[in-house]
Amino acid sequence: MTDFPRWKYALVALVLLFGIVYALPNAFPPVPSVQVAAIHGAVVDTALQQKVAAALKQQNVAYSDLALDGDRLVADFANADVQAHASDVIRTAVGDNYTVALNLASTVPGWLRAIGAKSMPLGLDLQGGVHFLMAVDQNAVIDKQEDRYTDDIRSLLRQKNIRYDSVARNSQRGQGVAVVLRAAADRNAASAAIAAEYPDLNVQDGATTGDRFVLNAAVKPEKLRDLALGAISQNVGTLRNRINALGVSEPVIQQQGDNQIVVELAGVQDPAEAKRIIGATATLEYHPGIGFPGDPRAVEAARSGNVPPDARLYYERGSRRPVLVSKRIIVTGDELADAASGVDQQSGAPKVDVTLSAAGARKMLDYTTANVGKPMAVVYVETLYDTKIVDGKETRVPRVSEEVISDATVQGVFGKNFQTTGLATTKEASELALLLKGGSLAAPVDIVEQRVIGPSLGQDNIRKGFRAVLLGLGLVLLAAAVYYKLFGLVADIALFFNLVVLLAVMSLIGVTLTMPGIAGIVLTLGMAIDANVLICERIREELRNGSTPHAAIRAGYEKAWATILDANVTHLIAALALTTMGSGPIKGFGVTLLIGILTSMFTSVTVTHAITALIHGHRKLKTLSV
Amino acid sequence: MEIFNHNANVNFLGMRRLSIGIAVLLVLASLALIFTRGLNYGLDFTGGVLVEVQYQQPADVGQVREALAQGGMETAVVQSLGGTRDMSIRMQPTPAMRDVDGKVDLDRVAAVIGKALQASRPDAVLKSRSSVSSQVGAELRSDGSIAAVFVILGIGIYLWVRFERRFAIAAIVTEVHDVLVTLGVIALVQREFDLTVLASVLAVIGYSINDKVVVFDRIRELFRLARKAEPEEVLNRSINNTLSRTIITSLFTGITMLALYLIGGPVVHGFAITMLIGIVVGTLSSIFVASPILLWLGVSKQDLMPRSKEDPELARRP
């Protein structure tokens, strides 16, 4: 007789198989590696591989592997120290046309990777690196908007011939712009004009004293909120671009809360360098174009080096085609108010809508009035810092990178608002919009928290955490087996599988393993056994009350289940609250606990029930070993 | 193997005046400790700079303090990270640690502290350095309190729905007791209160409620089964019936936390010790505090009968 249905055996077997397969990748520790990728149109090929091999050999740097992996070259090293030294050697050897990044290369076998199994990424506390928490200055966002509207309203009133005394920002931030007019009629006209032109403003009549008629125009709260959110995501985007360009592999760049951004760079040990990457300044300039990218004059200039005196030679981002651009600047990024990508209603082609400030609009109007049909280029100027070894000493060299990110023909006369079309894909459009904004709008960020964790500390933590898990598991296994005998051993098997399934789920979801996460694993192991304690105690009780062994098992599982469910749901509520706590350590712990409670409900009840049924199912029993 | 006599019938409810009296005293003492001595907030909450140092040869905390005082950093908090070679040093940043814009520069932090330490002990090596602004800490404190309140309320609502109002109230009151007493012990020993300890305090709530629910579950079951249910007797029997489970589970969870405490390293020290304190407090309150409260609230058989019996048709019959 068995009261355990066959499909449940199948389920248990499937889950255990899933657990083993997906937890397996964690048994293959990643090795420190350096990866080389091409930028500026260079190629990664066997020639590069030989060059790197020769450089490493010359400097006596031992590597365990050096191979091409798609469009990257990956070299593996024995430990983090060798890796750091090697990256310096390789950087010097390959030159400026490649990015060299520290990385951890996976050693997980291909067949596992093919089914989506991967090892858990390690948190900074387990592998070393730098961590930044940055707060975005939301006040600056408001300041910028209010300054811009002050400017815009002034020129709007002038344009509409409405006489005014003054247009100025209210002294309190967020209160908007105060316009002082001389007559009630003027105020009405101004109110109507502003409301029509700027739907994002709330226009209200203010106090009237003598011949001073005040009109208040404040940015709508929802618009401010949008701007604040926009500033964050834009900053995240800009940071991502910069950090990617600098070749730090797998950086973590995330929004946290309303106005914070977390940046974690594994492997980087120098916060000053990271800060320079993050703080790199970028600006935009609109220049009159001379010809188009790749036209014969530009190619000739690039070949011979003879650039006309009033022009500059740039390369276009992506295509790397040379282009000549006038030295004259039409507007700069400071005068760009907004840029958004979209789709053109008529043609369906991707486009970028650009909005300029009032001052920028005047300059743009002046230029386009005289230059319809001529090209206009956007130059993106970014200042980055490289670390180079000069005479055996590390020195920092500022490098200004200037690229043309857009070159288009002026189709008509425009000022404040215009569109850039002729973009190949919507992705290209959104990238351009991001770059346009990234060069100008990003609200200043303030670093409010920074940590540097040395690689040796990380290894130390991993070792200690691993040992704590093993010892904790071992002690519970021993205690359960001693106290509950055969049923304890069954619970032990389930507990071990709980660890396996927990690791599998965490790996599959891609939970970053941190030290608090390890503490969560140990706690989960300690608490998962509770379900088995409940079941075993119930079975003992049933036996004492005179039930037969089979009836005791059945009643034990049935009665304990209600208790286990209630106890675990309340525990889940606590774990859920932990995961909503924004900050790293608590969240890592909460997520582990949450997954652990769910997996333990399955392993402690269903898995042990299956094993118990297998052992006792078809035998006549006189006693139970519990 | 059995440690407990399964026929035991200790009259826990009989000593309810004493047990609740002690619980109230503990809570008051904890509140006094929390408000007078205060929690020894870690870097995450206070802001400031923190470095971890490793010495090649054993060193003691006093020696490190002295070296820092020599370098003009008298207010630094030095703690041993388990063992005699690893120390953590926490302080508010000195002017020398700031760059030209007044921002804390970790390279300068490392240079200033490294210089002061290596003046007396050249074998000191800095292993990590952090800086946190005080604004982050203030946010964290409010987030942590909100999370604790959210957990307690969420659990209360669940118990209200699944059990009954009195159970929810008893659980919430006992939870508050557990959290305050745990915090009181942390304040008493001046254990550093950092993020992992906060996580641990929240986990204590989870652990402790788990414990109470098991007893509550038995109370409900016994009330439903008993023909003549004298509340005090039912509560006593429930505690006794679940006693062996309550203690075995806390022992099992306790040994894992002990393992974590002993070899998990300094990062999880605070977590493990807080959890151990919480397990002891939570276990005792499951036995001595939750049920007396339930009794005083007037729990009875009628409150716990399955809903179907509350059929209005039945109620109307004579």
Side-chain angles (χ1 to χ4, degrees):
Chain A
M1 56 154 278
T2 171
D3 49 11
F4 203 77
R6 216 162 258 179
W7 66 269
K8 273 199 180 175
Y9 282 117
L11 180 69
V12 167
L14 269 179
V15 171
L16 296 190
L17 185 68
F18 154 83
I20 292 169
V21 169
Y22 282 90
L24 198 57
N26 295 296
F28 300 91
V31 291
S33 71
V34 170
Q35 83 187 28
V36 183
I39 47 171
H40 298 177
V43 285
V44 175
D45 54 13
T46 45
L48 182 75
Q49 186 179 354
Q50 281 157 13
K51 196 164 148 190
V52 169
L56 289 173
K57 195 167 179 202
Q58 197 200 341
Q59 298 285 328
N60 283 325
V61 182
Y63 54 88
S64 53
D65 191 26
L66 179 67
L68 291 170
D69 177 15
D71 53 357
R72 297 172 309 175
L73 177 68
V74 181
D76 297 346
F77 302 93
N79 60 51
D81 290 337
V82 182
Q83 177 197 28
H85 180 49
S87 90
D88 290 341
V89 173
I90 295 176
R91 193 169 287 138
T92 318
V94 297
D96 282 346
N97 288 336
Y98 297 90
T99 60
V100 177
L102 299 180
N103 199 1
L104 286 170
S106 174
T107 54
V108 176
W111 64 272
L112 273 174
R113 271 188 278 178
I115 55 168
K118 54 192 186 225
S119 54
M120 268 184 277
L122 299 180
L124 284 191
D125 52 352
L126 298 181
Q127 63 167 321
V130 295
H131 160 103
F132 291 102
L133 182 66
M134 292 178 286
V136 176
D137 188 353
Q138 300 289 15
N139 286 339
V141 177
I142 299 174
D143 285 350
K144 181 148 188 167
Q145 288 301 313
E146 294 193 340
D147 284 342
R148 175 198 147 204
Y149 278 117
T150 310
D151 240 25
D152 286 357
I153 289 173
R154 210 176 279 138
S155 59
L156 177 73
L157 295 180
R158 222 177 284 140
Q159 195 188 326
K160 302 257 176 193
N161 283 324
I162 302 169
R163 289 191 310 148
Y164 61 88
D165 253 6
S166 67
V167 178
R169 278 185 65 186
N170 274 314
S171 54
Q172 210 183 334
R173 181 180 289 125
Q175 292 293 315
V177 184
V179 185
V180 181
L181 300 117
R182 295 183 192 152
D186 284 347
R187 179 159 72 182
N188 290 341
S191 174
I194 294 170
E197 185 78 6
Y198 304 111
D200 289 330
L201 293 180
N202 265 332
V203 192
Q204 265 184 335
D205 288 358
T208 309
T209 46
D211 59 349
R212 281 169 51 88
F213 295 84
V214 178
L215 186 68
N216 285 315
V219 186
K220 286 182 180 164
E222 56 267 32
K223 174 69 177 174
L224 278 182
R225 205 165 42 237
D226 283 355
L227 285 168
L229 286 178
I232 285 269
S233 52
Q234 185 189 317
N235 271 319
V236 169
T238 311
L239 287 173
R240 196 179 298 279
N241 277 344
R242 290 182 189 166
I243 290 168
N244 284 348
L246 263 275
V248 175
S249 75
E250 289 171 42
V252 173
I253 305 153
Q254 278 169 351
Q255 176 176 354
Q256 176 178 305
D258 290 338
N259 66 338
Q260 291 176 332
I261 300 173
V262 179
V263 174
E264 294 199 331
L265 310 174
V268 174
Q269 287 299 323
D270 181 358
E273 183 191 340
K275 251 197 262 185
R276 266 184 279 268
I277 297 171
I278 292 165
T281 49
T283 53
L284 279 182
E285 291 162 359
Y286 278 85
H287 289 263
I290 302 170
F292 286 96
D295 75 4
R297 262 206 298 172
V299 174
E300 174 61 23
R303 195 186 56 78
S304 65
N306 288 332
V307 180
D310 60 340
R312 281 195 200 147
L313 180 72
Y314 292 125
Y315 290 87
E316 192 182 36
R317 192 188 193 94
S319 73
R320 309 307 311 162
R321 287 179 302 178
V323 56
L324 285 171
V325 166
S326 162
K327 278 182 175 168
R328 190 186 142 203
I329 297 174
I330 309 166
V331 293
T332 64
D334 289 344
E335 289 154 322
L336 188 135
D338 198 10
S341 62
V343 175
D344 191 77
Q345 297 280 318
Q346 285 161 6
S347 63
K351 59 159 187 175
V352 175
D353 286 311
V354 181
T355 310
L356 296 178
S357 68
R362 269 196 302 279
K363 295 183 203 164
M364 186 56 83
L365 189 65
D366 286 348
Y367 174 75
T368 52
T369 309
N371 293 286
V372 173
K374 292 191 183 155
M376 181 170 73
V378 185
V379 179
Y380 187 77
V381 186
E382 191 164 26
T383 312
L384 303 167
Y385 290 84
D386 289 343
T387 309
K388 282 194 174 138
I389 313 271
V390 180
D391 300 334
K393 268 199 226 161
E394 270 194 16
T395 43
R396 273 174 228 295
V397 192
R399 173 164 61 94
V400 177
S401 115
E402 292 173 310
E403 287 176 315
V404 168
I405 55 169
S406 158
D407 195 317
T409 308
V410 176
Q411 301 285 4
V413 178
F414 52 78
K416 188 173 180 51
N417 297 300
F418 58 94
Q419 293 179 352
T420 301
T421 51
L423 300 151
T425 59
T426 48
K427 184 163 175 276
E428 198 178 309
S430 65
E431 272 171 10
L432 177 60
L434 188 77
L435 278 173
L436 288 172
K437 287 200 285 187
S440 64
L441 258 185
V445 290
D446 200 9
I447 296 177
V448 292
E449 184 184 303
Q450 42 185 328
R451 295 175 198 275
V452 184
I453 299 118
S456 65
L457 193 61
Q459 279 163 10
D460 210 32
N461 279 339
I462 287 196
R463 205 178 55 243
K464 284 179 174 153
F466 184 65
R467 274 198 266 163
V469 171
L470 283 190
L471 182 66
L473 181 69
L475 286 175
V476 174
L477 292 183
L478 189 70
V482 169
Y483 198 72
Y484 292 118
K485 291 175 242 146
L486 181 61
F487 273 75
L489 282 173
V490 171
D492 285 351
I493 297 171
L495 191 66
F496 177 74
F497 273 110
N498 184 30
L499 179 62
V500 172
V501 176
L502 173 62
L503 291 180
V505 174
M506 286 174 76
S507 310
L508 197 62
I509 300 178
V511 177
T512 302
L513 188 68
T514 58
M515 222 32 211
I518 291 179
I521 292 177
V522 177
L523 181 63
T524 303
L525 292 178
M527 292 194 65
I529 198 79
D530 177 49
N532 298 106
V533 174
L534 279 166
I535 294 168
C536 291
E537 291 288 332
R538 269 293 183 173
I539 294 177
R540 282 183 177 182
E541 253 179 78
E542 295 295 325
L543 287 175
R544 279 199 294 270
N545 292 344
S547 300
T548 63
H550 280 298
I553 293 175
R554 192 182 309 124
Y557 272 95
E558 254 167 36
K559 288 184 177 171
W561 171 244
T563 314
I564 293 169
L565 193 64
D566 275 334
N568 278 298
V569 170
T570 44
H571 200 193
L572 267 182
I573 294 174
L576 207 59
L578 283 165
T579 59
T580 60
M581 287 281 299
S583 193
I586 299 199
K587 199 171 180 171
F589 168 73
V591 169
T592 312
L593 201 59
L594 190 76
I595 301 171
I597 294 169
L598 293 173
T599 55
S600 79
M601 277 167 78
F602 179 78
T603 54
S604 299
V605 181
T606 315
V607 173
T608 60
H609 204 171
I611 301 173
T612 308
L614 268 183
I615 297 173
H616 301 101
H618 298 282
R619 288 190 295 163
K620 279 202 184 309
L621 297 171
K622 281 218 174 68
T623 55
L624 280 181
S625 169
V626 61
Chain B
M1 185 173 128
E2 275 190 62
I3 298 177
F4 304 95
N5 175 7
H6 51 79
N7 288 321
N9 199 1
V10 185
N11 187 3
F12 290 107
L13 269 294
M15 42 180 129
R16 61 178 178 271
R17 288 226 165 78
L18 180 68
S19 61
I20 291 288
I22 293 174
V24 169
L25 272 181
L26 282 177
V27 168
L28 290 178
S30 300
L31 281 174
L33 277 170
I34 294 167
F35 282 105
T36 56
R37 286 186 78 143
L39 292 169
N40 175 14
Y41 284 111
L43 178 77
D44 300 321
F45 294 96
T46 57
V49 297
L50 177 119
V51 296
E52 281 175 41
V53 192
Q54 189 173 59
Y55 286 89
Q56 300 305 310
Q57 305 299 323
D60 68 88
V61 172
Q63 207 180 355
V64 179
R65 266 195 207 115
E66 199 174 304
L68 289 168
Q70 293 279 332
M73 290 166 276
E74 289 87 358
T75 56
V77 179
V78 182
Q79 278 170 327
S80 157
L81 295 173
T84 53
R85 291 174 50 219
D86 295 296
M87 309 276 170
S88 84
I89 300 167
R90 175 160 56 91
M91 69 181 92
Q92 292 303 315
T94 64
M97 296 176 184
R98 296 177 185 277
D99 62 15
V100 282
D101 302 326
K103 303 265 171 65
V104 175
D105 183 335
L106 284 186
D107 286 345
R108 288 173 195 239
V109 171
V112 170
I113 296 179
K115 199 174 141 212
L117 294 180
Q118 282 158 358
S120 63
R121 287 287 298 267
D123 61 334
V125 181
L126 296 192
K127 292 185 74 184
S128 82
R129 46 202 196 274
S130 325
S131 146
V132 176
S133 84
S134 53
Q135 142 214 354
V136 175
E139 257 168 53
L140 256 178
R141 247 179 283 185
S142 71
D143 281 4
S145 319
I146 292 170
V149 170
F150 177 76
V151 172
I152 291 178
L153 284 184
I155 289 168
I157 292 169
Y158 178 79
L159 291 183
W160 192 328
V161 173
R162 276 286 287 174
F163 288 79
E164 203 255 337
R165 180 174 48 95
R166 293 177 185 87
F167 287 83
I169 296 172
I172 289 179
V173 172
T174 322
E175 283 313 307
V176 172
H177 160 271
D178 292 354
V179 171
L180 287 178
V181 175
T182 306
L183 287 178
V185 178
I186 297 171
L188 178 71
V189 299
Q190 286 291 296
R191 172 93 224 170
E192 187 174 326
F193 191 85
D194 59 15
L195 267 185
T196 54
V197 174
L198 174 62
S200 187
V201 169
L202 295 172
V204 164
I205 302 181
Y207 175 84
S208 156
I209 195 67
N210 196 59
D211 228 27
K212 264 110 220 141
V213 165
V214 172
V215 182
F216 286 178
D217 214 70
R218 187 57 71 102
I219 293 173
R220 178 171 59 181
E221 186 187 329
L222 289 184
F223 262 124
R224 284 178 182 173
L225 284 177
R227 210 166 286 140
K228 178 175 77 64
E230 205 49 59
E232 186 172 342
E233 201 220 315
V234 168
L235 295 184
N236 246 334
R237 258 208 294 150
S238 305
I239 300 174
N240 277 295
N241 282 351
T242 51
L243 190 63
S244 120
R245 175 266 155 198
T246 305
I247 292 173
I248 290 298
T249 292
S250 47
L251 284 179
F252 281 11
T253 314
I255 52 177
T256 58
M257 286 299 109
L258 199 65
L260 194 63
Y261 177 76
L262 291 178
I263 56 171
V267 186
V268 289
H269 244 201
F271 177 89
I273 195 92
T274 310
M275 209 58 222
L276 281 170
I277 298 169
I279 289 172
V280 172
V281 176
T283 305
L284 290 176
S285 74
S286 299
I287 301 171
F288 292 104
V289 182
S291 299
I293 296 176
L294 209 49
L295 186 66
W296 271 319
L297 289 171
V299 68
S300 67
K301 184 176 163 79
Q302 284 73 28
D303 300 327
L304 292 164
M305 293 320 280
R307 286 285 145 88
S308 59
K309 297 256 170 97
E310 289 167 27
D311 193 335
E313 276 299 309
L314 284 170
R316 235 175 280 139
R317 287 180 194 173

